[in-house]
């Protein structure tokens, strides 16, 4: 069992995963700040932060390079470890992909041919999975060349939290596509039956989507020839980095049923892939106000109403409200039981419902103290 | 406005909002409310995964329509389903098998961005044209994807200038830009970030995608309760001795509730200021997750809220 405080002190990479709307970005920012407070050179990679949080982190625009946040902002009281540093970056998917193409292209002409291709621009700009892949690519780059002690990555809000693990494979599958590789055959001056069948196939597709789109695809795969190996190799390196002991998976969820179900699914899938959840962070948990059963509190409210006095009625409302809030607290804990069992010996931290939006350093610190003092 | 008029203002209602705001429960409540007026409703679920059927106590949805309650049917419609159906309809059953088997489908869909969305919306248009139900409710993908989902047709019209997909896109744009045929119901929570994001989405949907907006649904509003009086005084008047722990718990819980309700009202006020659309508020349930009973209660609230909306000329734009 590794508490979040230990993760930010010792690990090199923290991957925050979870579905949308559970406070992943906030958790990632908090972990990076806590790492910096403990003297580490930390960077948080965000994907799509809410505006006010982005402003706090100085991320008004996409920035493909990490920028440092002034110490006075994240450590206003000056009580953090002296050599800690905090950086932030908002992933620019397209630029990251362009750089990757430039790295693996055999020549400048090859790179230019790919970068100007319309099909390529669609992949870089809009293909689902590209963002996930580029997040992992950026992670690798920061690991390889950034000189950071601690890299905290917020993963994209995919429908299934695990999509980012599949993304490199999905993209390589696209680039490896057999049908389109067949199309390459005639350009090599060898005419085979496969080539003819592929041409017929292409004509059929052209009838549906128009020939321009198909021409773009053919041009792309011609330009891309020879680069697949580089991409595949990089995907392998990224997977190895994720599997390393220096990488920890932080599963973020809220106590709502749908979020918990997704988190359980994620934990199971992660286990299938030889990974394990190291820490579970549950955001916005309602606290218990007392240890009485909600039903007993409701009975008491009813008994008070039966007294038919104004004072008793008013008091009854307070009891009914306490029952409401206790009921939520009980329900949330029941919701979480199965998940907490499934993740084995991962640490579990509950961040209470703070009742306000978390977007400035003071609020991030408040979340941080709940996370670091994990139960 | 009366419920029947509200529900028949446009034949397709697209329910959209950020993940976690409860689009699915709003979809279920709206379908239930419409069905109560005697209308037939078809719910189309595009992500192939949601708790919609569970809201009605039924088994998960499939591509085949299933009845969830009297007059409410539902089905899934994923882009892959839509593409296969499209190819079948266009006499290309043979290549459809090859497209999926070889993974070339991914390539084609990437070559024509927005094609997946167009195929889904095209199928919805076909259902609308065939009068598959009096009201079709589309449980849209989570926003920001909702905006690109709705923009896909216009984008495609620019990118592809010929062929059946182009015609499909043109017909989808026609559907989306006619408020008597289609409108978007945006769902949010009474919290700062969801409200900000909803406002951005609303302007994008209306200005860029040209789709009419219905009222905004503010979901999971914690009901206000009168937490008046001083707990100590009232306990004394009632002749009850409160032990200190219980007294503190009552006070803390009441303060939490009052703060929560006040902040919620602030956010609804801010939303009203930034977005001149009527709001329909739906309650949060302390006692249970949304299931069969809660959907009926939400439908009751929706009906009440709709009753307070002003009528608009021509039954257009709610």
């Amino acid at each position: 069992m590794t508490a979040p405080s230990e993760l930010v002190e010792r690990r090199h990479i923290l991957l925050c995963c979870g579905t949308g709307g559970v406070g992943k970005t906030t958790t990632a920012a908090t972990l990076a700040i806590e790492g910096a407070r403990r003297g580490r050179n930390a960077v948080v990679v965000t994907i799509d932060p809410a505006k006010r949080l982005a402003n706090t982190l100085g991320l008004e625009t996409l920035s493909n390079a990490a920028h440092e946040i002034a110490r006075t902002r994240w450590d206003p009281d000056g009580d953090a470890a002296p050599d800690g540093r905090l950086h932030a970056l908002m992933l620019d998917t397209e630029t990251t992909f362009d750089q990757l193409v430039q790295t693996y292209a055999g020549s400048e002409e090859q790179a230019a041919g790919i970068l100007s291709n319309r099909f390529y621009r669609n992949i870089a700009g809009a293909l689902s999975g590209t963002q996930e892949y580029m997040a992992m690519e950026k992670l690798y780059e920061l690991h390889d060349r950034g000189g950071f002690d601690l890299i905290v990555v917020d993963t994209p809000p995919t429908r299934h939290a695990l999509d980012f693990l599949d993304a490199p494979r999905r993209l390589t599958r696209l680039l490896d596509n057999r049908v389109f590789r067949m199309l390459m055959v005639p350009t090599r001056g060898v005419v085979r039956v496969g080539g003819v069948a592929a041409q017929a196939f292409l004509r059929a597709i052209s009838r549906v989507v128009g020939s321009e789109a198909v021409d773009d695809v053919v041009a792309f795969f011609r330009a891309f020839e020879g680069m697949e190996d580089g991409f595949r190799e990089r995907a392998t390196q990224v997977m190895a980095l994720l599997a390393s002991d220096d990488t920890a998976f932080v599963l973020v969820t809220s106590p709502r049923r749908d979020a918990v179900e997704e988190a359980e699914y994620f934990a199971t899938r992660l286990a299938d892939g030889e990974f394990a959840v190291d820490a579970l962070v549950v955001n916005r948990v309602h606290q218990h106000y007392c240890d009485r059963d909600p039903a007993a509190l409701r009975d008491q409210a009813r008994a008070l109403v039966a007294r038919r006095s104004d004072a008793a009625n008013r008091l009854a409302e307070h009891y009914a409200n306490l029952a409401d809030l206790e009921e939520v607290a009980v329900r949330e804990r029941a919701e979480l039981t199965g998940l907490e069992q499934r993740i084995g010996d991962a640490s579990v931290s509950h961040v209470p419902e703070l009742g306000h939006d978390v977007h400035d350093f003071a609020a991030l610190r408040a979340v941080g103290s709940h996370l670091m003092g994990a139960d | 406005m009366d419920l029947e008029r509200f529900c028949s203002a446009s034949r397709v209602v697209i329910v959209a909002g950020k993940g976690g705001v409860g689009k699915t429960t709003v979809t279920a409540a709206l379908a239930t409310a419409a069905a109560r007026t005697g209308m037939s409703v078809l719910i189309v679920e595009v992500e192939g995964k949601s708790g919609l059927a569970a809201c009605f106590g039924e088994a998960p949805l499939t591509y085949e329509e299933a009845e969830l309650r009297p007059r409410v049917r539902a089905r899934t419609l994923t882009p892959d389903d839509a593409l296969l159906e499209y190819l079948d309809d266009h006499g290309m059953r043979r290549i459809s098998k090859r497209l999926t088997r070889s993974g070339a489908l991914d390539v084609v869909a990437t070559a024509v961005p927005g094609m997946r969305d167009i195929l889904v919306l095209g199928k919805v248009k076909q259902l609308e044209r065939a009068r598959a139900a009096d009201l079709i409710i589309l449980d849209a993908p989570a926003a920001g994807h909702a905006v690109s989902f709705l923009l896909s047709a216009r984008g495609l019209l620019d990118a592809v200038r010929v062929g059946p997909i182009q015609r499909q896109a043109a017909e989808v744009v026609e559907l989306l830009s006619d408020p008597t045929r289609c409108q978007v119901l945006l769902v949010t929570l009474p919290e700062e970030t969801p409200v900000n994001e909803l406002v951005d989405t609303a302007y994008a949907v209306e200005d860029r995608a040209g789709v009419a907006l219905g009222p905004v649904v503010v979901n999971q509003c914690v009901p206000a309760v009168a937490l008046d009086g001083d707990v100590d005084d009232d306990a004394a008047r009632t002749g009850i001795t409160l032990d200190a722990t219980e007294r503190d718990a009552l006070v803390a819980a009441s303060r939490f509730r009052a703060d929560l309700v006040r902040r919620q009202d602030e956010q609804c006020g801010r939303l009203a200021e930034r977005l001149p659309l009527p709001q329909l508020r739906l309650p949060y349930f302390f006692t249970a997750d949304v299931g069969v009973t809660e959907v009926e209660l939400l439908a009751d609230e929706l009906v009440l809220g709709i009753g307070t909306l002003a009528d608009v000329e021509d039954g257009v734009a709610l």
Side-chain angles (χ1 to χ4, degrees):
Chain A
M1 158 149 167
T2 325
S5 56
E6 219 175 306
L7 293 180
V8 300
E9 268 162 37
R10 302 215 184 124
R11 299 290 179 106
H12 176 44
I13 292 168
L14 302 182
L15 276 170
C16 296
C17 341
T19 43
V22 295
K24 252 193 335 249
T25 314
T26 312
T27 304
T30 304
L31 291 171
I33 292 168
E34 292 303 323
R37 290 188 58 80
R38 284 160 177 73
R40 304 194 84 193
N41 185 9
V43 59
V44 55
V45 180
T46 65
I47 307 288
D48 185 22
K51 260 188 205 123
R52 296 188 65 177
L53 179 62
N55 291 343
T56 297
L57 299 173
L59 299 172
E60 282 77 12
T61 53
L62 291 175
S63 60
N64 217 30
H67 80 98
E68 183 158 6
I69 301 169
R71 190 185 181 89
T72 47
R73 303 205 45 221
W74 57 269
D75 182 26
D77 301 332
D79 56 355
D83 42 0
R85 293 172 70 185
L86 180 66
H87 302 76
L89 175 160
M90 176 155 55
L91 182 74
D92 180 343
T93 306
E94 286 199 60
T95 311
T96 308
F97 207 158
D98 289 356
Q99 284 168 353
L100 198 60
V101 167
Q102 275 156 348
T103 308
Y104 288 114
S107 66
E108 285 199 13
E109 292 76 54
Q110 188 182 19
I114 293 168
L115 295 181
S116 62
N117 180 278
R118 221 159 37 149
F119 179 69
Y120 166 75
R121 295 259 56 104
N122 294 338
I123 296 182
L127 180 65
S128 73
T130 302
Q131 202 179 36
E132 290 87 336
Y133 187 15
M134 291 308 126
M136 294 304 106
E137 172 57 30
K138 184 47 86 181
L139 164 66
Y140 191 84
E141 188 196 308
L142 290 169
H143 152 77
D144 203 30
R145 293 199 295 269
F148 297 105
D149 306 327
L150 175 67
I151 307 169
V152 187
V153 187
D154 169 26
T155 56
T158 41
R159 206 186 86 210
H160 282 311
L162 208 65
D163 282 0
F164 70 90
L165 284 176
D166 297 332
R169 205 174 48 230
R170 231 179 313 132
L171 196 73
T172 1
R173 189 180 97 150
L174 180 84
L175 299 175
D176 269 349
N177 197 277
R178 276 183 297 134
V179 174
F180 288 87
R181 303 198 83 176
M182 277 198 290
L183 301 173
M184 304 304 117
V185 174
T187 69
R188 290 177 187 152
V190 188
V191 178
R192 288 187 204 151
V193 182
V196 176
Q199 293 296 345
F201 181 65
L202 267 199
R203 272 198 303 279
I205 296 175
S206 300
R207 288 208 331 258
V208 184
V209 299
S211 58
E212 283 174 349
V214 174
D215 292 347
D216 287 339
V217 175
V218 173
F220 169 79
F221 279 94
R222 287 195 179 140
F224 203 78
E225 242 191 306
M227 283 175 57
E228 309 93 297
D229 291 342
F231 269 76
R232 213 176 299 116
E233 195 190 313
R234 187 55 161 256
T236 312
Q237 289 171 332
V238 169
M239 289 312 272
L241 181 63
L242 295 183
S244 126
D245 286 345
D246 234 5
T247 300
F249 285 86
V250 178
L251 181 55
V252 186
T253 187
S254 80
R256 283 199 328 261
R257 180 188 287 174
D258 49 345
V260 171
E261 276 169 6
E262 274 292 313
E264 278 183 29
Y265 171 80
F266 178 88
T268 312
R269 286 280 311 276
L270 207 53
D272 293 345
E274 302 162 36
F275 299 110
V277 174
D278 294 275
L280 173 70
V281 173
V282 189
N283 283 322
R284 306 188 64 173
V285 178
H286 286 86
Q287 67 170 98
H288 273 297
Y289 290 92
C290 60
D291 48 14
R292 289 189 63 187
D293 180 39
L297 292 166
R298 286 209 196 283
D299 286 345
Q300 188 147 358
R302 266 190 291 271
L304 281 163
V305 171
R307 292 185 174 211
R308 294 170 181 277
S309 84
D310 288 348
N313 275 339
R314 286 195 297 266
L315 197 55
E317 290 286 3
H318 289 276
Y319 267 100
N321 175 58
L322 183 58
D324 280 349
L325 296 182
E326 283 305 311
E327 197 136 24
V328 175
V330 169
R331 211 147 52 85
E332 288 181 348
R333 272 145 194 88
E335 217 56 91
L336 290 167
T337 314
L339 174 62
E340 293 179 355
Q341 278 163 1
R342 179 146 326 184
I343 55 165
D345 51 1
S347 71
V348 179
S349 315
H350 289 181
V351 177
E353 168 65 68
L354 296 172
H356 56 78
D357 210 59
V358 175
H359 52 68
D360 55 20
F361 279 112
L364 289 168
R365 256 309 264 148
V367 172
S369 53
H370 286 293
L371 270 183
M372 296 302 112
D375 38 290
Chain B
M1 182 184 292
D2 74 50
L3 178 63
E4 210 169 328
R5 186 157 177 198
F6 179 88
C7 294
S8 52
S10 34
R11 290 196 290 277
V12 176
V13 171
I14 301 174
V15 180
K18 187 183 143 93
V21 298
K23 265 180 297 129
T24 300
T25 52
V26 172
T27 301
L30 179 62
T32 302
R36 287 183 188 167
T37 70
M39 294 173 85
S40 63
V41 182
L42 174 65
I43 302 174
V44 176
E45 209 284 311
V46 296
E47 294 207 310
K49 166 194 165 287
S50 91
L52 184 74
C55 289
F56 293 94
E58 295 288 333
L61 300 180
T62 65
Y63 188 66
E64 302 297 326
E65 279 182 18
E67 186 169 86
L68 295 180
R69 87 187 277 292
R71 289 185 299 280
V72 175
R73 290 166 293 139
R75 59 171 289 182
T76 60
L77 181 60
T78 64
D80 288 354
D81 297 334
L83 178 64
L84 293 182
E85 201 171 306
Y86 178 88
L87 292 171
D88 270 4
D89 289 353
H90 288 77
M92 284 179 272
R93 182 184 292 265
R94 274 185 53 234
I95 81 161
S96 77
K97 291 221 178 66
R98 226 173 124 195
L99 267 173
T100 40
R101 221 182 28 228
S102 62
L105 191 57
D106 291 341
V107 177
V108 176
T110 308
V112 186
M115 191 177 82
R116 290 170 182 274
D117 298 336
I118 284 298
L119 289 166
V120 169
L121 286 165
K123 180 65 194 173
V124 170
K125 180 219 68 191
Q126 200 185 333
L127 291 168
E128 182 245 8
R129 276 298 176 220
R131 296 295 181 121
D134 297 327
L135 178 64
I136 297 172
I137 306 178
L138 183 66
D139 190 355
H145 190 63
V147 177
S148 57
F149 179 69
L150 294 170
L151 279 173
S152 60
R154 282 180 197 277
L156 204 84
L157 276 185
D158 295 337
V160 180
R161 283 174 283 275
V162 289
I165 283 283
Q166 196 272 350
R167 276 199 300 281
Q168 179 99 317
E171 286 172 13
V172 167
V173 168
E174 242 173 69
L175 167 73
L176 293 179
S177 49
D178 181 349
T180 64
R181 290 175 66 196
C182 176
Q183 64 174 309
V184 171
L185 211 63
L186 292 173
V187 184
T188 191
L189 299 178
E191 294 170 17
E192 178 165 336
T193 300
V195 163
N196 291 346
E197 288 176 355
L198 178 104
V199 173
D200 292 345
T201 306
Y203 284 106
V205 165
E206 208 168 44
D207 300 346
R208 290 171 59 209
V211 189
L213 291 171
V216 178
V217 179
V218 185
N219 199 19
Q220 297 178 18
C221 293
V222 168
V225 280
L227 294 168
D228 303 324
D230 183 275
V231 169
D232 296 314
D233 292 350
D234 284 335
R237 282 198 199 107
T238 321
I240 294 176
T241 322
L242 287 177
D243 78 72
T245 335
E246 184 142 318
R247 183 243 170 231
D248 291 348
L250 284 168
V251 171
S254 294
R255 191 176 303 133
F256 181 86
R257 176 75 163 257
D259 279 350
L260 187 60
V261 170
R262 181 180 48 74
R263 277 193 311 271
Q264 259 178 206
D265 287 345
E266 276 169 22
Q267 294 305 331
C268 290
R270 217 164 54 82
L271 177 61
E273 240 167 62
R274 295 182 58 192
L275 195 67
L277 287 175
Q279 294 177 8
L280 294 171
R281 296 191 192 179
L282 292 181
Y284 173 77
F285 296 108
F286 286 98
T287 45
D289 278 308
V290 175
V292 185
T293 321
E294 289 73 25
V295 165
E296 295 290 336
L297 292 171
L298 288 174
D300 293 345
E301 290 292 330
L302 213 46
V303 174
L304 283 175
I306 289 166
T308 66
L309 298 179
D311 279 322
V312 176
E313 290 301 302
D314 307 327
V316 179
L318 302 167

